[in-house]
Amino acid sequence: MKSNVLPWLAVFLAVTSLLRGAEPTVQSVTTRDLALVYSVDAAHRLMFRHFGPKLAHEAELARAKTPAVSDVRSMRHWEAYPAYGRAEVYSPALQVTHADGSLVTELVFAQRKTLPAPEGVTHTVFVLRDAVQPLTAELHLEAYAQENVFAQWVEVSHSEKGPIAIGSIFSGFLPSAARKYFLSHFHGAWSSEMTLSEEELKPGVKIIESQRGVRITQQDNPSFLLALDQPATEETGEIIGGALAWSGNFRLSFQVDEWGQLRTLAGLNPFVSELKLAPGEPFVSPKFIFTYSPAGRGLVSRRLHDWARRYALADGFTPRSIVLNSWEGAYFKFDEATLTGMIDGAAQLGVETFVLDDGWFGNKHPRDSAEAGLGDWQTNIKKLPRGLNYLADYAESKGMKFGLWIEPEMVNPRSELAERHPEWIVQSPGREKIAMRNQWLLDLGNPAVQEFVWQMVDRLLTEHPKIAYLKWDANRHVSQPGTTALPADRQSSFWTAYVRGLYSVYAKIRAKYPQIILQVCASGGGRVDFGALAYHHEFWASDNTDALSRLTIQYGTNLIYPPIATAAHVSTSPNHQTGNVTPLKFRFDVAMTGRLGLELQPKDMDAAEQEFARAAIATYKRIRPLLAQGDLYRMHSPYEPGGWVSQMLVAKDRTQAAVFVFSTQAHRRGVVPTLRLRGLDPAKRYKVTELNRLAPAKGAGAFWGNGQTFTGEYLTEIGLEANIGKIYTSAVFLLEAVP
Ligand code: DGJ
């Protein structure tokens, strides 16, 4: 072994010392306000030095001595990307078993490179090499200047004598030194997605993860907020916010070490996921997106929203069409007349897109329930004898667009597809396949399955050129992982192969059909992450459409993900899932804080309800540019006692805002919420108009000063009192700057 390695090492050290001579010792990557600072120490290690506000004197960091390689006791002793084997004694970012069986990796800094990037973005690469083996780990960093957001990922490649085995490969490592650490993360389940959980981190390791492969965020979302020193508030405190752009198994690990320092790792879940890598075969980890706020979590949300709208979402700043989705209004029980009736009703309300949900396909095995038909993507001729084009034309004749539900990753045992291609199903040889919601999972890691799904979607869209919207659902997760597409010694690559295969199909659809609106859905909000969102316009936040539950679900969701991407539909009362009874106005006001839609049969509404709905939809059209382009500020949280929830959207130029306030419990007479508004220009005068008033509007409404003007200063410092207090009452105000 020695004779092979020594010449390589000599060249490598010569090159690195040459390069080091040319490089400044302090290595920083910056956005408009933030800096991520590393330094190269005497042992050639790339050390993490700072993440937070930009430093005026960052060169000072070069002076500070980093501890010796063998010293693990010192403060701030963090490699930028710690690999296992040298002095690292904590969970490493990278663990490799080399081709020769060696367990040790020692990354030393070789080079800093700048790669081309879009305007407003810098792309820096720190090339790290193992001191002995021909293995390279490139640490990539994108800095999004105006949004103050970073993306980090790693690419590993090697030219060792045979395959290496990667035991863990995290995308990002962020250490912190504070007195205390408060972690917020978002656990959930079907119908209670993105439930905020906050806790103080104690010595030891706290792991947030998913091992479900698909529908991962039903377990926990791959995102977090980390408050330093004190618990997070909207406007105070140092907060780091992060999210892994990945729709498969992930791990966020928070280790408080014996010195009270915190080591945060974000990346792929190493759980049964060893990756074999042949010489010359690179592996690229998903992107870890993160930001920092010196002023509370509100700013973290706004930074992530801005970043997502510009770089992660399709058409992120474009106001969205109002949708009526057929699911809760018809479920599987419909024929052509049911649907044309829904289209008529929706058109009269001002809805712009009609989406036909589950149940439209399958002939040999009709999809009349969740028991059969998945995989057989032909229109059911009994239900829809004139086909989908007839419905699309009909919608068009009513001035509406037409959309369709699909669930391409799945197959019912009772389907022609399962009969034809049993080898495409995720399975473990010789074992009985477990069905969930009566369905099996297709192996998207298999190129043949990718091609089948792509062809199916392509054919659907070619044969039905008026389809303007696709809802992509996924109603089970992985069990009995196994793939016929990979050799026996690579079965543990199943998890990443699946997600990459799925993304390759998404990418083809986006490239060929950029004008089609895409919604990601997985039994509700089971796939809400920046990885999938990069190919979509929006996500279905939850199958729970109860407005009260939605206040909590959407609050958690919008801490990380932007409101414009949050599909929020008004459904009937009592609610199908919860049985909760809420007024139509409350349901509309809640749904209007996201991408408004309806999830009902319009003819089930009486005349007064239809009139209210028509007016509310017209109002939403007025304020939706704020949702697309504005900033979100939260005042009252559903997690705080008091029974109020309030938030607002403010235009970037601060000339307009929409304020939403909800009463979630019965308050004593005279107890009303005071809304000290945020994000306004104190010097401007704003006219306050109440929107969405119940028709016929009578009395003072929810604001005694309706139609009057106030300075931004008054609205911020004194505030606006909303005259609501009964359970499930709500109000919406429009603020317009006046000359
Ligand atoms: C789960 C989704 O979340 C629902 O909106 C609906 O599309 C059903 N699947 C249909 O089966």
Side-chain angles (χ1 to χ4, degrees), residues 83-87 94-98 100-107 130-133 135 160:
Y84 178 71
R86 185 157 53 179
L94 180 71
Q95 188 277 316
V96 173
T97 304
H98 295 276
D100 66 357
S102 152
L103 301 173
V104 175
T105 304
E106 299 175 70
L107 294 178
D130 183 48
V132 172
Q133 297 289 348
L135 176 139
E160 298 190 17

Side-chain angles (χ1 to χ4, degrees), residues 16 24 45 117 149 156 274 285 287 372 404 408 410 444 464 503 655:
T16 49
R45 298 174 304 175
V149 166
V156 169
E274 186 183 72
S285 78
K287 287 186 181 180
L404 197 66
M410 307 289 167
L444 264 286
H464 308 98
Y503 286 177
T655 56

Side-chain angles (χ1 to χ4, degrees), residues 231-291:
T233 78
E234 271 308 293
E235 295 174 22
T236 60
E238 286 189 276
I239 319 266
I240 293 168
L244 192 73
W246 187 245
S247 312
N249 290 353
F250 71 89
R251 179 174 285 183
L252 307 172
S253 156
F254 303 88
Q255 182 166 26
V256 179
D257 68 17
E258 62 270 52
W259 320 111
Q261 301 181 15
L262 176 69
R263 309 165 67 89
T264 300
L265 286 165
L268 295 172
N269 196 333
F271 173 75
V272 290
S273 294
E274 186 183 72
L275 296 162
K276 290 262 168 53
L277 219 57
E281 178 189 358
F283 184 84
V284 184
S285 78
K287 287 186 181 180
F288 170 50
I289 313 299
F290 58 101
T291 185

Side-chain angles (χ1 to χ4, degrees), residues 69-326:
V69 175
S70 57
D71 189 352
V72 293
R73 293 165 305 144
S74 310
M75 288 293 285
R76 298 181 175 276
H77 178 90
W78 303 305
E79 287 188 52
Y81 191 71
Y84 178 71
R86 185 157 53 179
E88 186 66 29
V89 291
Y90 306 100
S91 305
L94 180 71
Q95 188 277 316
V96 173
T97 304
H98 295 276
D100 66 357
S102 152
L103 301 173
V104 175
T105 304
E106 299 175 70
L107 294 178
V108 292
F109 174 71
Q111 191 187 354
R112 174 182 180 146
K113 296 193 293 193
T114 303
L115 297 184
E119 213 189 313
V121 188
T122 56
H123 184 167
T124 308
V125 186
F126 293 100
V127 181
L128 310 173
R129 298 225 161 87
D130 183 48
V132 172
Q133 297 289 348
L135 176 139
T136 303
E138 291 193 339
L139 192 59
H140 289 251
L141 270 159
E142 280 173 346
Y144 298 86
Q146 290 312 312
E147 295 76 18
N148 286 305
V149 166
F150 294 87
Q152 187 169 359
W153 70 99
V154 70
E155 176 169 345
V156 169
S157 58
H158 71 96
S159 53
E160 298 190 17
K161 282 262 164 343
I164 62 167
I166 300 181
S168 61
I169 177 168
F170 284 87
S171 301
F173 170 66
L174 274 184
S176 325
R179 290 199 304 279
K180 291 182 172 191
Y181 311 95
F182 297 88
L183 174 69
S184 301
H185 64 102
F186 307 94
H187 70 267
W190 178 76
S191 124
S192 61
E193 292 86 344
M194 293 298 284
T195 303
L196 177 64
S197 174
E198 284 185 276
E199 62 200 89
E200 184 178 348
L201 294 171
K202 297 291 183 186
V205 187
K206 169 84 188 177
I207 285 177
I208 309 298
E209 66 179 1
S210 178
Q211 301 167 341
R212 299 185 184 196
V214 170
R215 223 169 48 166
I216 56 164
T217 70
Q218 271 194 0
Q219 186 171 354
D220 227 300
N221 193 266
S223 64
F224 67 91
L225 297 168
L226 181 69
L228 305 180
D229 291 332
Q230 60 199 10
T233 78
E234 271 308 293
E235 295 174 22
T236 60
E238 286 189 276
I239 319 266
I240 293 168
L244 192 73
W246 187 245
S247 312
N249 290 353
F250 71 89
R251 179 174 285 183
L252 307 172
S253 156
F254 303 88
Q255 182 166 26
V256 179
D257 68 17
E258 62 270 52
W259 320 111
Q261 301 181 15
L262 176 69
R263 309 165 67 89
T264 300
L265 286 165
L268 295 172
N269 196 333
F271 173 75
V272 290
S273 294
E274 186 183 72
L275 296 162
K276 290 262 168 53
L277 219 57
E281 178 189 358
F283 184 84
V284 184
S285 78
K287 287 186 181 180
F288 170 50
I289 313 299
F290 58 101
T291 185
Y292 162 92
S293 155
R297 64 189 181 194
L299 187 57
V300 168
S301 303
R302 288 187 290 280
R303 288 183 166 168
L304 291 176
H305 296 173
D306 275 347
W307 174 83
R309 286 182 292 190
R310 191 165 303 284
Y311 298 104
L313 278 181
D315 308 329
F317 291 102
T318 310
R320 301 296 197 241
S321 173
I322 298 164
V323 166
L324 183 136
N325 184 53
S326 70

Side-chain angles (χ1 to χ4, degrees), residues 328 546 570-576 579-584 587 600 604 609 728:
E328 284 192 32
D546 172 8
V570 174
S571 62
T572 51
S573 182
N575 184 268
H576 289 215
N580 202 18
V581 177
T582 52
L584 187 64
R587 282 176 271 144
L600 45 70
D604 290 346
E609 287 176 328
Y728 306 145

Side-chain angles (χ1 to χ4, degrees), residues 327 357-358 367 405 437 471 473 475 521 523-524 540 543:
W327 181 241
D357 207 286
D358 201 350
R367 180 74 172 168
W405 175 98
R437 204 197 190 208
K471 171 177 177 179
D473 202 351
N475 286 296
C521 167
S523 310
W540 180 226
D543 277 350

